[in-house]
Amino acid sequence: MSSSYQFDAYHPAVKQVIENIEKVMVGKRDVTDLSLVALLAGSHVLLEDVPGVGKTMMVRALAKSVGANFNRIQFTPDLLPSDLTGVSIFNQREMKFEFRKGPLLGNIILADEINRTSPKTQSALLEGMEEGNVTVDGETHILPQPFFVMATQNPIEYEGTYPLPEAQLDRFLLKLRMGYPSPEEELEVLNRTEHAHPIDSIGTVLELEDLLEMQKKVKAVFVEGSVKQYIIDIVSRTRNNSSIYLGASPRGSLSLMKACQAFAFMRNRDYVLPDDVKFLAPFVLSHRIILKSEAAFEGQKPEEIIKEILHRVRVPLQKEEKVK
């Protein structure tokens, strides 16, 4: 994944986290930035890419950087919902049931190859992501905060997989692709890991309490009326485009605004710019639309269609007075 949109400034705490992650990751600044956008927005990421490009290392580095509990779940066809959420076990000594929590009850979760497990198990994960809690034997258990899921799926192998329905894809704030490194980046990876892996040497640079406070500040980032209308105009265009069978729902508008607030905060601003919307729209909206069969047959990509829509929608120029 590449981008021509460069950060001109970072929030100091965010910059520390990024620099810490880059001790492990080489040449993946865009994915790192956008993953932090989702984390600060209190949401989740779907990462679609082939195995072995560093997805697990990036999530581990992120978890260590913020001092979070990290759990990796390998999704397989025989995985059950209780394998994620946990089970109630009867304690004969105390004559009562005790809850043994599953790996989903952590701070940062890597849901590896989510499309390899059954829809029932997928739903258990996505319910936790949406509701912030899980229910086991009629008892509700609140998920810890912060709670961040990065789910991965392999776009090449489809045999024996269960593709996520569009309604469930909608639960992810962003859909990203990591991509292969350049030869120079791959050489740097070899050099860094020749004697020891750098993931073992990085430490915590941001406490969880500070991260939670930052998430609150993200919600206070100002979005003026003209920018909100710009978001609505873009999303509305997905509902009457000749290449799109089903456009983005109002959740798409909300998600784009949340992502823009987090993006602005990362850039050390307390207000959202139209440029933020233009940059983030393909990552937020591409997995929320369904192309018509003829458009897909012609090789059109959702990201390309979203970019075409952006070219046609008028960008707001006037700024409203900021509300205190």
Side-chain angles (χ1 to χ4, degrees):
M1 186 186 72
S2 63
S3 166
S4 60
Y5 198 76
Q6 301 297 323
F7 277 38
D8 51 19
Y10 280 103
H11 185 285
V14 172
K15 185 178 181 181
Q16 280 188 305
V17 173
I18 291 172
E19 289 175 346
N20 204 48
I21 292 173
E22 288 190 328
K23 294 176 182 177
V24 177
M25 303 301 300
V26 179
K28 301 300 180 186
R29 171 63 67 88
D30 284 350
V31 177
T32 301
D33 288 345
L34 290 166
S35 297
L36 283 169
V37 165
L39 176 61
L40 289 169
S43 196
H44 315 283
V45 169
L46 178 64
L47 189 57
E48 186 177 78
D49 220 322
V50 296
V53 292
K55 300 184 291 291
T56 302
M57 284 299 111
M58 197 198 70
V59 186
R60 283 184 62 191
L62 175 59
K64 291 192 74 172
S65 297
V66 299
N69 174 264
F70 169 73
N71 290 327
R72 178 182 179 273
I73 307 171
Q74 179 63 54
F75 281 75
T76 57
D78 60 347
L79 198 71
L80 299 174
S82 59
D83 294 328
L84 302 183
T85 59
V87 295
S88 294
I89 298 177
F90 187 70
N91 186 327
Q92 291 185 333
R93 180 177 297 176
E94 300 187 13
M95 299 300 290
K96 67 177 182 179
F97 283 95
E98 294 180 348
F99 176 65
R100 302 288 177 87
K101 67 180 182 179
L104 190 57
L105 279 80
N107 294 123
I108 293 183
I109 311 297
L110 175 63
D112 214 358
E113 295 188 296
I114 187 176
N115 55 334
R116 289 204 173 278
T117 197
S118 68
K120 188 174 184 179
T121 305
Q122 290 176 359
S123 296
L125 170 68
L126 294 161
E127 180 184 356
M129 290 164 48
E130 181 70 14
E131 305 296 334
N133 58 64
V134 296
T135 302
V136 179
D137 296 332
E139 188 174 340
T140 299
H141 301 273
I142 305 299
L143 295 174
Q145 294 299 319
F147 178 68
F148 172 73
V149 173
M150 178 172 282
T152 72
Q153 59 180 10
N154 187 337
I156 305 301
E157 297 178 10
Y158 290 104
E159 186 175 349
T161 63
Y162 304 85
L164 288 169
E166 282 70 19
Q168 294 183 335
L169 283 172
D170 213 20
R171 300 299 194 272
F172 293 96
L173 183 71
L174 306 170
K175 182 180 180 182
L176 308 177
R177 291 184 176 89
M178 188 168 279
Y180 287 116
S182 67
E184 295 78 16
E185 291 168 348
E186 197 161 359
L187 177 61
E188 178 62 22
V189 171
L190 296 182
N191 290 334
R192 289 190 186 187
T193 57
E194 183 176 3
H195 302 294
H197 203 291
I199 190 69
D200 299 324
S201 61
I202 66 170
T204 299
V205 296
L206 182 70
E207 299 297 331
L208 282 183
E209 294 77 12
D210 297 325
L211 175 59
L212 290 170
E213 187 61 31
M214 291 165 69
Q215 288 180 335
K216 292 179 183 177
K217 291 179 179 178
V218 163
K219 295 177 182 178
V221 171
F222 178 69
V223 188
E224 66 181 22
S226 63
V227 176
K228 290 177 183 174
Q229 189 60 52
Y230 183 46
I231 291 171
I232 292 170
D233 291 344
I234 293 168
V235 174
S236 297
R237 288 288 186 104
T238 68
R239 300 168 190 162
N240 51 29
N241 186 283
S242 60
S243 298
I244 298 176
Y245 172 71
L246 184 67
S249 69
R251 184 183 283 136
S253 302
L254 289 167
S255 297
L256 185 51
M257 184 178 72
K258 285 172 56 180
C260 288
Q261 287 177 297
F263 189 70
F265 178 85
M266 284 180 62
R267 300 192 71 197
N268 215 18
R269 283 190 270 106
D270 62 354
Y271 56 91
V272 172
L273 293 175
D275 278 349
D276 302 336
V277 180
K278 289 179 67 176
F279 173 67
L280 288 167
F283 303 109
V284 176
L285 299 178
S286 63
H287 61 291
R288 302 174 193 272
I289 63 175
I290 303 175
L291 300 188
K292 290 182 178 178
S293 55
E294 53 268 31
F297 181 76
E298 291 170 0
Q300 295 188 52
K301 303 294 183 184
E303 297 88 348
E304 295 170 357
I305 294 173
I306 297 298
K307 289 177 182 178
E308 288 177 9
I309 289 174
L310 290 170
H311 286 306
R312 296 173 185 171
V313 177
R314 187 183 67 84
V315 179
L317 299 177
Q318 291 185 337
K319 294 181 71 173
E320 296 177 359
E321 186 178 350
K322 185 174 175 180
V323 178
K324 298 295 184 182

